[in-house]
Amino acid sequence: MNDKMIIAGREFSSRLFIGTGKFASNRIMSDAIEASGSEMVTVALRRVNIEDSSDDMLSAIMRENVQLLPNTSGARDAKEAVRLAKIARAASGIEWVKLEVTPDPYYLLPDPVETLEAAKELVDEGFIVLPYINADPVLAKKLEDAGCATVMPLAAPIGSNKGIKTRDSIKIIISQASVPVVVDAGLGLPSHAADAMEMGADAVLVNTAIAVCDKPSEMAQAFAKSVEAGRQGYLAGPGCVSETANASSPLTGFLRD
Amino acid sequence: MNDKMIIAGREFSSRLFIGTGKFASNRIMSDAIEASGSEMVTVALRRVNIEDSSDDMLSAIMRENVQLLPNTSGARDAKEAVRLAKIARAASGIEWVKLEVTPDPYYLLPDPVETLEAAKELVDEGFIVLPYINADPVLAKKLEDAGCATVMPLAAPIGSNKGIKTRDSIKIIISQASVPVVVDAGLGLPSHAADAMEMGADAVLVNTAIAVCDKPSEMAQAFAKSVEAGRQGYLAGPGCVSETANASSPLTGFLRD
Amino acid sequence: MNDKMIIAGREFSSRLFIGTGKFASNRIMSDAIEASGSEMVTVALRRVNIEDSSDDMLSAIMRENVQLLPNTSGARDAKEAVRLAKIARAASGIEWVKLEVTPDPYYLLPDPVETLEAAKELVDEGFIVLPYINADPVLAKKLEDAGCATVMPLAAPIGSNKGIKTRDSIKIIISQASVPVVVDAGLGLPSHAADAMEMGADAVLVNTAIAVCDKPSEMAQAFAKSVEAGRQGYLAGPGCVSETANASSPLTGFLRD
Amino acid sequence: MNDKMIIAGREFSSRLFIGTGKFASNRIMSDAIEASGSEMVTVALRRVNIEDSSDDMLSAIMRENVQLLPNTSGARDAKEAVRLAKIARAASGIEWVKLEVTPDPYYLLPDPVETLEAAKELVDEGFIVLPYINADPVLAKKLEDAGCATVMPLAAPIGSNKGIKTRDSIKIIISQASVPVVVDAGLGLPSHAADAMEMGADAVLVNTAIAVCDKPSEMAQAFAKSVEAGRQGYLAGPGCVSETANASSPLTGFLRD
């Protein structure tokens, strides 16, 4: 299946993005990233020393084919987010940034107004911006118009493992987007990731579900397979949902002959 | 992952069962079965000539490692089902039977009373019986007690592609079963199959979703992956669903230092 | 709104049936029944002394317009259920019986086979039989054919307060039934009762949700209103569900003139 | 039940707000408003001649106890919305405004950024502002902080009749709000309105479901009852949802004595 995804000119074979929070150790994280086959790994800027190539966390993440995606987690407004992004770029030379602006410390939901403001400024400054947002189709379109490389609507509150609780809005976002749509936050099981891909999402981001389970590497591999399965199912042109039964085995003939 | 399933003493590596109705041609069906990696393929007795090894449909199905599973589709009561099963065994020597008793021609829902009666008789006659049932935990237990090799509760009406609409009942069936639980009917997308496996089902049966789509072989492969993903996710010990957010990237430090 | 329901020749103005288990006191139960306006109240045979008109529980239940509906709760098979029903009729002269056969003490789910057997015998003996069943369309039809006065499919396990978790099956039961369909068990909130009525159910039975809450009489009244609301909404011919928006306030004219 | 709702110092006995689009005639609309008992009726500014007390639509709406709520439907950005609101106030003297900013003509979803900007300006200008928004908890908090009198998150796209598809977000909005939360858009059946009230919403707004059905007055009354039922159920302190059964009728004693 030749089905590459392109973001900002870079080609990705894997449609599973991985987050790096909450792993019990760098070793466990490294193994899970390896098992996932992910080519896009996000990391909180303040948790690594990007300048120092011997930084333990960084070396646990990095490998060939992986695009490091610094994020602005912890930023409460546009100003903080922009500052964080600039610090990271200055230190690392990486222009990619996952934009997160979350004023509320309890649910960590994104701020639509500050996110849009920060996105505009970061795009102007030459960043490749992937914003984390509520599943708001109007906001998604505005961010796309502002030059963002993707939109990343949430499926459910971060870390909740609930699956896609914003289904109708995500469908609309997908139907209207001309940049890749990456479903982010709340995917708790492989089936949730497959579900997102079957809806036509271009990729998914998973962190908690892999980091906080009994066997992170196994779970990472399970998510990798389910993302492939969902994508392949989407491309295979599924049939319709129907109310009435459709016999798999037609009833004619035989018994009443 | 060494995770074999055993039914009636036979070991299965694949947890995806395939039905053979509705394919556009035997060639397409054969390719889809191959792509699925399935080791259990069900076929309506009256659609093949089991005695004749040159039968086109049969030769499209058969391959090494595949257990052929004749079904009694079309039977409207216990008597018809038992008669069908016996005809098939006499012709083929196969003792396995997927027991389907569906008096209603519109939704093709199974009859609990006639199914139990037929199951008892077929078990007595030495058959390996896999009954298709409504998601009824009490009936499932009775069929297990009667000596059935599995129970096969439906997720949704056959051919509806709706996914798991009987979730609570299937959870109870799984929690009480000591024979394998195979979720049957209504699974329309790879994510639905993963969902069933994550709930702890032992296997799933898929037919319409693969046979009636644009690219059956692709879809078969997608289901195969999703079944593996769901099973692997289940075994990896997923975390809990929670109401409040859990930051993937802890907020301490850095910004407010 | 002249919209009476008739069961076995008796006319009911209220479509809310009430159960009498779990109330903190007979006084609280009596007030809740009064507030509910219910005309059909079910009671476990073994909990009242039906012969004794001074029995406290019985006098808390009885009032003008209320049909007492003895139930066979506790019966584990057909034989026990039939025995219980006969004892009750002998003592009270009441021919109505809510048939419950629940072999499993944990989920209290009904047994389809034993329920059908008991129903046939009780109908033969002249009882007016209202059987509690899993949401199984084939079984519902069999019970109707056996002469039952209603069918009472469960929405969710009894006492779970989950609402309608068997939606697809209940829809099919309603579409096929020629006796009244009473949705029983699992309705936890007034909206759940309205939901059942909007689906076309003829009545609902509620017990736990009213008995186990902070203010049973208030909750009973709330359920009474919601049952009326749901029924009235059903009869008012609701519009369709649609994917795309339909402006309540058309966008033409004005602003761009 | 003494349970008044207060918005901007005005007391409301009814928690059902009504919209006036799509009715087949003014007469049908007038009857439906009467049947609903609503005390808050929203109307598109450009559809009535507010200055002219003989305007047919206006006279169909107005009655004692009704607060007329002009809305800005049709506005595509903050500037248009503010202009519309000012025209209405100048003509009518009414300071209340339902703020709607919907750049997208297909789904009519609200624009978070323009809505916030318009809300701030209208509050500054002395309006009582009730903004229609996506179910975005961060935005809801910002609007509350900006001085809005309520927040009105959508349940589903307007006119879709889908019910509450933004459940998790609305729960969070309710848990964080100190102004009334009015669930708006997408409520298609009485049970949906009861559902919103049981979640703790302060009120609901309904238009399409009443205007586009076979019997609008009947449906209006059904919604009125269901809103009361849901509110009363909420205040009655419902019990918990549980996984396992809780027998309504305890199984001890009797049969095995």
Side-chain angles (χ1 to χ4, degrees):
Chain A
M1 191 164 61
N2 181 15
D3 172 45
K4 300 291 172 81
M5 171 176 59
I6 294 171
I7 301 176
R10 191 194 191 290
E11 203 176 81
F12 294 85
S13 296
S14 162
R15 291 166 179 273
L16 173 59
F17 297 3
I18 299 282
T20 52
K22 298 194 197 173
F23 282 94
S25 73
N26 283 344
R27 173 64 184 278
I28 288 170
M29 178 181 72
S30 180
D31 290 348
I33 294 172
E34 186 69 29
S36 75
S38 178
E39 296 169 8
M40 180 82 96
V41 180
T42 188
V43 62
L45 299 171
R46 65 199 180 292
R47 297 179 59 218
V48 298
N49 187 346
I50 289 179
E51 288 173 278
D52 177 4
S53 64
S54 71
D55 176 280
D56 277 353
M57 187 170 181
L58 201 58
S59 61
I61 294 170
M62 287 312 303
R63 62 205 72 213
E64 208 182 350
N65 284 331
V66 163
Q67 173 64 53
L68 196 68
L69 178 65
N71 67 53
T72 65
S73 93
R76 291 168 303 185
D77 57 27
K79 199 177 150 193
E80 286 183 0
V82 170
R83 181 183 150 224
L84 270 174
K86 288 182 177 174
I87 290 171
R89 184 170 64 177
S92 68
I94 299 172
E95 308 231 303
W96 296 66
V97 62
K98 182 177 178 226
L99 176 58
E100 303 182 12
V101 186
T102 56
D104 151 41
Y106 192 64
Y107 291 106
L108 296 172
L109 293 167
D111 182 320
V113 180
E114 298 288 322
T115 300
L116 181 61
E117 186 184 320
K120 285 177 176 169
E121 187 168 343
L122 291 170
V123 168
D124 280 351
E125 299 269 359
F127 283 88
I128 298 165
V129 182
L130 296 79
Y132 166 60
I133 57 170
N134 206 326
D136 181 327
V138 175
L139 180 64
K141 205 66 198 163
K142 282 175 176 275
L143 287 161
E144 180 183 325
D145 292 344
C148 288
T150 66
V151 288
M152 303 183 72
L154 59 82
I158 195 168
S160 70
N161 285 338
K162 286 191 163 193
I164 302 182
K165 293 298 181 186
T166 55
R167 182 172 305 274
D168 290 76
S169 299
I170 286 184
K171 275 188 198 164
I172 297 173
I173 291 173
I174 290 170
S175 74
Q176 296 182 336
S178 53
V179 293
V181 176
V182 184
V183 175
D184 188 5
L187 303 178
L189 288 167
S191 62
H192 301 162
D195 183 8
M197 301 308 293
E198 288 159 0
M199 289 168 66
D202 295 278
V204 298
L205 190 150
V206 179
N207 185 344
T208 299
I210 292 173
V212 183
C213 75
D214 295 347
K215 301 179 183 170
S217 286
E218 291 292 317
M219 191 60 94
Q221 209 174 76
F223 269 96
K225 285 178 193 167
S226 73
V227 168
E228 280 183 32
R231 178 68 181 174
Q232 196 169 9
Y234 173 72
L235 296 174
C240 293
V241 170
S242 68
E243 278 306 316
T244 66
N246 290 293
S248 302
S249 312
L251 296 178
T252 49
F254 194 84
L255 273 178
R256 280 114 224 167
D257 290 349
Chain B
M1 193 165 59
N2 181 15
D3 171 45
K4 301 289 171 82
M5 171 175 59
I6 293 172
I7 301 177
R10 192 192 189 291
E11 202 176 81
F12 294 85
S13 296
S14 162
R15 290 166 180 273
L16 174 59
F17 296 4
I18 299 284
T20 53
K22 298 193 198 174
F23 282 93
S25 72
N26 284 342
R27 174 62 185 278
I28 289 171
M29 179 182 72
S30 180
D31 290 349
I33 293 172
E34 185 68 30
S36 74
S38 179
E39 295 168 8
M40 180 83 96
V41 181
T42 186
V43 61
L45 299 171
R46 68 201 177 291
R47 296 179 62 218
V48 299
N49 187 346
I50 290 179
E51 287 173 277
D52 176 4
S53 64
S54 70
D55 176 280
D56 277 355
M57 187 170 181
L58 201 60
S59 62
I61 294 169
M62 287 314 301
R63 62 206 71 214
E64 206 183 351
N65 286 331
V66 163
Q67 172 65 53
L68 196 69
L69 178 64
N71 66 54
T72 64
S73 94
R76 292 169 302 185
D77 57 26
K79 197 176 152 193
E80 287 184 359
V82 169
R83 180 182 149 222
L84 272 174
K86 287 182 179 177
I87 291 171
R89 185 171 63 177
S92 69
I94 299 172
E95 308 233 304
W96 296 66
V97 64
K98 181 174 179 228
L99 175 58
E100 303 183 11
V101 186
T102 57
D104 151 42
Y106 193 64
Y107 292 107
L108 294 173
L109 293 167
D111 183 320
V113 180
E114 298 288 323
T115 299
L116 180 61
E117 185 183 321
K120 285 177 177 171
E121 186 167 342
L122 290 170
V123 168
D124 280 351
E125 300 268 358
F127 283 88
I128 298 166
V129 182
L130 295 79
Y132 165 59
I133 57 170
N134 207 325
D136 181 326
V138 175
L139 180 64
K141 205 67 197 163
K142 281 174 176 278
L143 286 161
E144 181 184 324
D145 292 344
C148 289
T150 66
V151 287
M152 304 185 69
L154 58 83
I158 196 167
S160 70
N161 285 337
K162 288 192 163 191
I164 303 181
K165 293 300 181 185
T166 54
R167 183 172 305 275
D168 290 77
S169 299
I170 287 184
K171 275 188 199 165
I172 297 174
I173 291 173
I174 290 170
S175 73
Q176 295 181 336
S178 52
V179 293
V181 176
V182 184
V183 175
D184 187 6
L187 303 178
L189 288 167
S191 62
H192 301 163
D195 183 7
M197 301 308 294
E198 290 159 0
M199 287 169 68
D202 295 277
V204 297
L205 189 151
V206 179
N207 185 345
T208 299
I210 293 173
V212 183
C213 75
D214 294 348
K215 300 178 183 171
S217 285
E218 291 292 318
M219 191 59 93
Q221 208 173 79
F223 269 95
K225 285 177 193 166
S226 72
V227 168
E228 281 182 32
R231 178 68 182 174
Q232 196 169 8
Y234 173 71
L235 295 175
C240 293
V241 171
S242 67
E243 277 307 315
T244 66
N246 290 293
S248 302
S249 312
L251 295 178
T252 50
F254 194 84
L255 273 180
R256 279 116 223 165
D257 290 349
Chain C
M1 191 165 61
N2 181 15
D3 172 44
K4 301 291 172 80
M5 171 177 60
I6 293 172
I7 300 177
R10 191 193 191 290
E11 202 176 82
F12 293 85
S13 297
S14 162
R15 290 166 180 274
L16 174 58
F17 297 2
I18 299 284
T20 51
K22 298 193 198 174
F23 282 93
S25 73
N26 283 343
R27 173 62 184 277
I28 289 172
M29 179 182 73
S30 180
D31 290 349
I33 293 172
E34 185 69 31
S36 73
S38 179
E39 295 168 8
M40 180 83 96
V41 180
T42 187
V43 61
L45 301 171
R46 67 199 179 292
R47 297 180 59 219
V48 298
N49 187 347
I50 291 179
E51 288 173 276
D52 177 4
S53 64
S54 69
D55 176 280
D56 277 354
M57 187 169 181
L58 201 60
S59 60
I61 294 170
M62 287 314 301
R63 62 206 71 214
E64 207 181 351
N65 286 330
V66 163
Q67 172 66 52
L68 196 69
L69 179 64
N71 66 54
T72 64
S73 93
R76 292 169 302 185
D77 57 26
K79 198 177 151 193
E80 287 184 357
V82 169
R83 180 183 149 221
L84 271 173
K86 288 182 177 174
I87 291 171
R89 184 170 63 177
S92 68
I94 300 173
E95 307 232 305
W96 296 65
V97 63
K98 181 175 179 226
L99 175 58
E100 303 183 11
V101 187
T102 56
D104 151 42
Y106 193 65
Y107 292 106
L108 295 172
L109 293 167
D111 182 320
V113 180
E114 298 288 322
T115 300
L116 181 61
E117 185 184 322
K120 285 177 177 170
E121 187 168 342
L122 290 170
V123 168
D124 279 350
E125 300 268 358
F127 284 88
I128 298 166
V129 182
L130 296 79
Y132 166 60
I133 57 170
N134 207 326
D136 180 327
V138 175
L139 180 64
K141 206 66 198 163
K142 282 175 176 275
L143 287 161
E144 181 185 324
D145 292 345
C148 289
T150 66
V151 287
M152 303 184 70
L154 59 82
I158 196 167
S160 69
N161 285 337
K162 287 191 162 193
I164 303 182
K165 293 299 181 185
T166 54
R167 181 172 306 275
D168 291 76
S169 299
I170 286 184
K171 274 188 197 163
I172 298 173
I173 291 173
I174 290 171
S175 74
Q176 296 181 337
S178 53
V179 292
V181 176
V182 184
V183 175
D184 188 5
L187 303 178
L189 288 167
S191 62
H192 300 162
D195 183 7
M197 301 307 294
E198 290 159 0
M199 288 168 67
D202 295 277
V204 298
L205 190 151
V206 180
N207 184 344
T208 300
I210 293 174
V212 184
C213 75
D214 294 349
K215 301 177 183 172
S217 285
E218 290 292 318
M219 191 59 94
Q221 208 173 78
F223 269 96
K225 286 177 191 166
S226 72
V227 168
E228 281 183 30
R231 178 68 181 174
Q232 196 169 10
Y234 173 72
L235 295 174
C240 292
V241 171
S242 67
E243 277 308 314
T244 66
N246 289 294
S248 302
S249 312
L251 295 177
T252 49
F254 194 83
L255 273 179
R256 280 113 224 166
D257 290 348
Chain D
M1 192 166 57
N2 181 16
D3 172 44
K4 301 291 172 79
M5 171 176 60
I6 293 172
I7 301 177
R10 191 192 190 293
E11 202 175 82
F12 293 85
S13 296
S14 163
R15 291 165 179 275
L16 174 59
F17 297 4
I18 299 283
T20 53
K22 298 193 199 173
F23 282 94
S25 74
N26 283 343
R27 173 64 184 277
I28 289 172
M29 179 182 71
S30 180
D31 290 348
I33 293 172
E34 186 68 31
S36 74
S38 179
E39 296 169 6
M40 180 82 97
V41 180
T42 187
V43 62
L45 300 171
R46 67 200 178 291
R47 297 180 59 217
V48 298
N49 186 346
I50 290 179
E51 288 174 276
D52 177 5
S53 64
S54 70
D55 176 279
D56 277 354
M57 187 171 180
L58 201 58
S59 62
I61 294 171
M62 287 313 302
R63 63 206 71 214
E64 207 183 352
N65 285 331
V66 163
Q67 173 64 53
L68 196 68
L69 178 65
N71 67 54
T72 65
S73 94
R76 291 168 304 186
D77 57 26
K79 197 176 151 193
E80 287 184 358
V82 169
R83 179 181 152 223
L84 271 173
K86 287 182 178 175
I87 291 171
R89 183 169 65 176
S92 68
I94 299 172
E95 308 233 303
W96 296 65
V97 63
K98 181 176 178 225
L99 175 59
E100 303 182 13
V101 187
T102 56
D104 151 42
Y106 192 65
Y107 292 106
L108 295 171
L109 293 167
D111 182 320
V113 180
E114 299 289 322
T115 299
L116 181 61
E117 186 183 319
K120 284 177 176 170
E121 186 167 342
L122 290 171
V123 169
D124 280 351
E125 299 268 359
F127 283 88
I128 297 165
V129 183
L130 295 78
Y132 166 59
I133 57 170
N134 206 324
D136 181 326
V138 175
L139 180 64
K141 205 67 199 164
K142 280 175 176 276
L143 287 161
E144 180 184 323
D145 292 345
C148 289
T150 65
V151 288
M152 303 183 71
L154 60 81
I158 195 167
S160 70
N161 285 337
K162 287 192 163 193
I164 303 181
K165 292 299 182 186
T166 55
R167 184 172 303 276
D168 290 77
S169 298
I170 286 184
K171 274 188 199 165
I172 298 174
I173 290 173
I174 289 170
S175 73
Q176 296 182 336
S178 52
V179 293
V181 176
V182 184
V183 175
D184 188 6
L187 303 178
L189 289 167
S191 62
H192 301 162
D195 183 7
M197 301 308 294
E198 289 159 0
M199 288 169 67
D202 295 277
V204 298
L205 190 150
V206 179
N207 184 345
T208 300
I210 292 173
V212 184
C213 75
D214 295 346
K215 302 179 183 171
S217 285
E218 291 291 319
M219 191 59 94
Q221 208 173 79
F223 268 97
K225 285 177 194 167
S226 73
V227 168
E228 281 183 32
R231 178 69 181 173
Q232 195 169 8
Y234 173 71
L235 296 175
C240 293
V241 171
S242 68
E243 278 307 315
T244 65
N246 290 292
S248 302
S249 312
L251 295 179
T252 49
F254 194 84
L255 273 179
R256 281 116 224 163
D257 291 349

